[in-house]
């Protein structure tokens, strides 16, 4: 905040306190408390604290009202202080761990003088461990009555006062550690993402696939249509690219004899940011010798259903419920299991519901094009007319200021499909049999060389998976690598020559099916999350202005 200058005297300035000033003041107070804790002979950064119970397990124990005649279960827990209510000789605070939160009852006559002194020095965000009796208060609140308090870590930065979520989106993304503490959905999504990736690995391992790791730095940015990030290797004095796909190294392994292979890895594309796109994201790619794109459909369907079966049973939806209190009608929000509201394997996504029960719909690209564009995708005259009607460019300059040339027919088909078809796809739907010239890594159909054996899986207009019957003919592969379609930008084309990959094919790659799934988008769908940044722990942001 800019300083406000007094007009009464040119040498005097009155400054309005800023958030930074307030933060600094609070930090100084916390630092003073840290020194007081040290003066008590206690390490403010804590030590090992074993045998704690997750808070969610503590809350499942039998709980009775606290009485002198009967003791409840003895428990040990640790967590971060997220609520603190001041009082006299009896205090109630709340701690949180990744499984939940619970109230603590702190009484002066239950703790040692040193422990009670520590209680007076607690701040929101501090980490403490407690031993005590589990029960419930007169109001029915599940509570640990603390009998021993162990200080574990001092938080020197002030924490948010609102324990039920952070409202500022950018603040949440820049302070993901706080977002995880104070926004329950963030930690929930994090756990669900881990479960989804573990399920993918278990499912693929169970059907005979082998997981590998391949290089992140590539000499050629191949395997996908995307603009790469560039870097330089100082020792070798060569320019390199961060990988834009996992595909080509995995296919080399098919040549080498690993017949079922997959990788889950980070991929980098120097492109735009949107609710569905992040420059750094996680991909699953797999390849199966002696398969094709139809066997990839079966694997994709089984894989996604397995993930739904892991996440679905605990997925919840919020519903507004009416109730009456003292003759007055009121409403409140309740959470119910999605399966109870929508049915088995039905999950909400925004204001829609996705039915993941197999079999998934399968539809030809040409049929969908005819339905939504209104013409045969092979009819060049009608496709050109449709493109002009939709305002899609039909000519382009190959060089700036140079003569205009016609955009390739299949590029127009591709652009029309994106504009008029994709948003109408509810799904899950496998869209298959694509224009061949758009798919240089894909085998053509034997009865129609204009068509590539490729599918994409769409759910509510969002592409989730992409699969091919892999092209293993080195002669055709080399030709398609060298072909650049007019009207297709270089970053949108997979026509990038890779001599070593062609050489590998010349040694003989078995017929195969290949599949790629965007893990982040899959997590979005299964956790009812509308932006990709919310399923990536640390999405790319502009540098913070200090």
């Amino acid at each position: 905040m800019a300083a406000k200058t007094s007009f009464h005297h040119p040498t005097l300035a009155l400054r309005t306190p800023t958030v930074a000033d307030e933060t600094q003041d609070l930090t100084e107070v916390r630092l003073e408390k840290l020194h007081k804790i040290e003066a008590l002979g206690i390490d403010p950064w804590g030590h090992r604290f074993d045998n704690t119970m997750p808070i969610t397990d503590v809350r499942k124990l039998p709980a009775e009202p606290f009485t002198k005649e009967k003791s409840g279960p003895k428990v040990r827990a640790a967590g971060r202080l997220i609520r603190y209510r001041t009082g006299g000789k009896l205090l109630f605070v709340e701690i949180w761990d990744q499984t939940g939160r619970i109230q603590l009852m702190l009484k002066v006559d239950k703790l040692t003088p040193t422990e009670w002194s520590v209680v007076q020095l607690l701040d929101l965000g501090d980490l403490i461990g407690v031993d005590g009796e589990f029960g419930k208060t007169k109001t029915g609140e599940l509570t640990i009555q603390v009998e021993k308090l162990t200080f574990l870590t001092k938080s020197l930065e002030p924490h948010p006062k609102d324990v039920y979520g952070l409202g500022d989106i950018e603040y949440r993304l820049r302070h993901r550690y706080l977002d995880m503490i104070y926004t329950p959905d963030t930690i929930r999504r994090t756990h669900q993402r881990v479960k989804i990736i573990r399920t993918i690995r278990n499912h693929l391992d169970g059907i005979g696939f082998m997981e590998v790791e391949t290089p992140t730095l590539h000499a050629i940015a191949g395997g996908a249509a995307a603009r790469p990030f560039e870097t330089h290797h100082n020792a070798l004095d060569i320019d390199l690219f961060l990988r834009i796909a996992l595909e080509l190294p995995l296919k080399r392994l098919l040549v080498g004899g690993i017949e079922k292979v997959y990788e889950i890895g980070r991929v980098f594309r120097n492109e735009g940011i949107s609710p569905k796109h992040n420059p750094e994201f996680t991909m699953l790619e797999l390849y199966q010798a002696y398969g094709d794109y139809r066997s990839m459909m079966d694997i994709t369907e089984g894989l996604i259903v397995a993930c739904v079966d892991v996440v679905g049973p605990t997925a919840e939806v919020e519903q507004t419920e009416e109730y009456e209190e003292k003759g007055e009608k009121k409403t409140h929000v309740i959470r119910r299991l999605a399966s109870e509201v929508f049915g088995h394997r039905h999950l909400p996504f925004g204001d829609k519901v996705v039915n993941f029960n197999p079999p998934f719909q399968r539809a030809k690209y040409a049929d969908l094009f005819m339905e939504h564009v209104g013409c045969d995708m092979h009819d060049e005259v009608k496709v050109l007319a449709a493109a002009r009607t939709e305002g899609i460019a039909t000519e382009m300059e190959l060089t700036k200021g140079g003569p205009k040339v016609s955009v390739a027919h299949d590029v127009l088909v591709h652009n029309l499909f994106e504009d008029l078809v994709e948003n109408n796809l509810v799904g899950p739907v496998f869209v298959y049999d694509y224009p061949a010239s758009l798919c240089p890594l894909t085998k053509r159909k034997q009865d129609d060389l204009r068509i590539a054996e490729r599918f994409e899986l769409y759910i509510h207009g969002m592409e989730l998976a992409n699969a091919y019957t892999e092209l293993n003919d080195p002669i055709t592969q080399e030709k398609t690598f060298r072909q650049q379609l007019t009207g297709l930008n270089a970053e949108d084309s997979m026509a990038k020559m890779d001599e070593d990959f062609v050489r590998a094919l010349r040694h003989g790659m078995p017929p195969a099916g290949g599949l790629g799934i965007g893990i982040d988008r899959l997590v979005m769908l299964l956790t009812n999350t509308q932006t990709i940044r919310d399923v990536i722990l640390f999405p790319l942001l502009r540098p913070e202005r200090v």
Side-chain angles (χ1 to χ4, degrees):
M1 184 179 293
K4 291 186 177 180
T5 305
S6 169
F7 293 98
H8 300 294
H9 193 287
T11 60
L12 296 178
L14 299 177
R15 206 164 63 84
T16 301
T18 66
V19 173
D21 297 328
E22 182 182 353
T23 300
Q24 183 177 359
D25 291 343
L26 293 173
T27 300
E28 290 174 357
V29 171
R30 286 171 178 253
L31 194 58
E32 289 176 10
K33 291 183 178 181
L34 179 142
H35 294 321
K36 290 179 180 179
I37 291 172
E38 289 178 320
L40 293 172
I42 296 171
D43 183 351
W45 307 115
H47 294 285
R48 182 172 176 172
F49 193 72
D50 289 332
N51 303 316
T52 59
M53 290 180 67
I55 286 175
T56 188
D57 290 347
V58 172
R59 296 181 67 90
K60 292 175 184 177
L61 295 173
E64 299 293 335
F66 294 109
T67 63
K68 294 181 180 179
E69 294 77 23
K70 186 178 180 181
S71 296
K74 298 295 183 180
V75 298
R76 166 174 271 213
R80 189 178 296 276
L81 192 68
I82 60 169
R83 180 171 287 179
Y84 187 101
R85 280 178 277 174
T86 57
K89 298 181 179 181
L90 172 64
L91 296 176
F92 288 97
V93 304
E94 198 170 324
I95 61 171
W96 171 92
D97 72 9
Q98 64 175 329
T99 69
R101 56 181 69 191
I102 196 166
Q103 179 172 269
L104 307 181
M105 183 193 297
L106 302 165
K107 301 173 80 172
V108 67
D109 59 349
K110 291 282 186 178
L111 301 174
T112 67
T114 299
E115 289 170 345
W116 188 251
S117 296
V118 169
V119 169
Q120 310 308 308
L121 299 171
L122 292 176
D123 285 305
L124 293 179
D126 289 352
L127 293 167
I128 59 174
V130 296
D131 295 270
E133 177 189 347
F134 177 67
K136 57 185 179 182
T137 61
K138 294 178 180 178
T139 61
E141 181 72 24
L142 297 179
T143 303
I144 300 174
Q145 183 171 253
V146 179
E147 297 168 353
K148 179 178 173 60
L149 185 142
T150 303
F151 194 82
L152 296 175
T153 296
K154 186 68 184 171
S155 173
L156 295 180
E157 290 290 330
H159 279 236
K161 296 177 181 178
D162 183 1
V163 301
Y164 291 106
L166 305 176
D168 189 306
I169 299 298
E170 184 172 346
Y171 187 90
R172 286 177 47 207
L173 296 175
R174 292 194 183 279
H175 304 82
R176 184 65 93 188
Y177 39 89
L178 293 177
D179 185 32
M180 295 177 74
I181 298 168
Y182 295 104
T183 309
D185 278 349
T186 300
I187 193 73
R188 174 187 63 84
R189 278 193 298 267
T190 301
H191 283 280
Q192 288 177 325
R193 182 186 177 106
V194 170
K195 288 181 181 179
I196 289 167
I197 294 176
R198 184 184 297 132
T199 299
I200 290 170
R201 285 195 165 100
N202 291 342
H203 183 85
L204 293 176
D205 293 347
I207 57 177
F209 278 82
M210 179 185 296
E211 183 177 11
V212 297
E213 295 172 288
T214 62
T216 300
L217 296 175
H218 289 185
I220 298 170
R227 180 183 299 164
F229 287 96
E230 300 178 30
T231 187
H232 185 80
H233 194 297
N234 291 333
L236 297 178
D237 192 23
I238 57 172
D239 292 330
L240 295 169
F241 304 97
L242 295 182
R243 65 185 178 189
I244 59 173
L246 313 175
E247 179 169 351
L248 301 186
L250 294 176
K251 285 183 176 179
R252 289 177 172 93
L253 296 177
L254 282 181
V255 176
I258 302 180
E259 296 178 352
K260 289 184 173 183
V261 64
Y262 77 95
E263 181 173 6
I264 298 174
R266 241 9 187 194
V267 172
F268 309 87
R269 298 182 181 177
N270 194 359
E271 297 177 340
I273 296 175
S274 80
K276 298 179 184 178
H277 299 87
N278 193 68
E280 178 183 1
F281 60 99
T282 303
M283 280 287 294
L284 160 70
E285 289 201 30
L286 65 86
Y287 296 88
Q288 178 180 344
Y290 315 118
D292 67 2
Y293 71 144
R294 294 190 181 276
S295 53
M296 293 300 102
M297 287 186 194
D298 297 335
I299 289 175
T300 305
E301 191 172 272
L303 195 61
I304 291 175
V305 168
C307 292
V308 170
D309 286 346
V310 167
V311 174
T314 58
E316 294 182 331
V317 292
E318 291 186 347
Q319 290 187 321
T320 302
E321 185 178 71
E322 289 188 352
Y323 68 99
E324 192 170 306
E325 184 178 288
K326 297 180 180 179
E328 183 181 353
K329 287 187 176 181
K330 296 184 177 181
T331 61
H332 61 176
V333 176
I334 61 170
R335 298 181 73 91
R336 294 182 59 193
L337 292 175
S339 57
E340 294 178 356
V341 178
F342 304 120
H344 182 54
R345 290 181 179 151
H346 286 64
L347 293 178
F349 184 64
D351 58 355
K352 306 174 181 70
V353 177
V354 184
N355 178 4
F356 287 101
N357 282 298
F360 294 172
Q361 178 190 356
R362 302 185 182 196
K364 282 188 176 182
Y365 188 103
D367 294 342
L368 292 169
F369 192 90
M370 174 65 79
E371 178 183 352
H372 296 285
V373 181
C375 66
D376 187 328
M377 74 176 189
H378 299 301
D379 189 324
E380 295 190 9
V381 174
K382 290 184 178 180
V383 166
L384 182 62
R388 287 172 175 162
T389 300
E390 293 301 319
I392 293 172
T394 59
E395 292 182 324
M396 68 170 293
E397 297 175 354
L398 293 178
T399 58
K400 190 173 182 179
K404 290 187 175 182
V405 297
S406 297
V407 172
H409 169 74
D410 280 351
V411 175
L412 295 179
V413 170
H414 168 71
N415 292 338
L416 283 166
F417 192 90
E418 280 192 339
D419 286 1
L420 299 179
V421 181
E422 287 185 1
N423 288 335
N424 292 300
L425 300 177
V426 177
V429 54
F430 290 113
V431 179
Y432 65 96
D433 288 354
Y434 276 62
S437 59
L438 298 174
C439 316
L441 298 170
T442 312
K443 185 170 285 189
R444 277 62 176 146
K445 291 188 75 69
Q446 289 183 333
D447 58 353
D448 189 349
L449 297 181
R450 299 173 302 174
I451 301 299
E453 293 190 349
R454 172 190 180 186
F455 78 73
E456 290 186 301
L457 176 65
Y458 285 90
I459 300 178
H460 286 295
M462 183 162 63
E463 177 205 335
L464 185 63
N466 188 18
Y468 307 146
T469 298
E470 299 298 336
L471 180 60
N472 63 337
D473 171 0
I475 299 171
T476 303
Q477 181 66 87
E478 183 173 0
K479 179 182 176 182
T480 56
F481 267 155
R482 296 187 186 281
Q483 180 183 5
Q484 173 67 37
L485 290 180
T486 304
L488 201 61
N489 295 325
E491 60 266 22
D492 294 329
S493 172
M494 289 188 279
K496 298 177 178 70
M497 187 62 201
D498 187 331
E499 300 280 1
D500 180 69
F501 178 67
V502 173
R503 184 186 305 121
L505 292 187
R506 294 179 73 89
H507 284 85
M509 189 184 90
L515 167 67
I517 295 178
I519 297 297
D520 307 297
R521 289 188 179 183
L522 178 61
V523 175
M524 285 174 63
L525 281 164
L526 301 188
T527 61
N528 193 15
T529 305
Q530 306 308 307
T531 64
I532 197 169
R533 296 192 304 178
D534 282 335
V535 299
I536 296 174
L537 286 176
F538 301 103
L540 184 65
L541 301 170
R542 292 183 186 276
E544 188 173 7
R545 294 180 180 178
V546 179

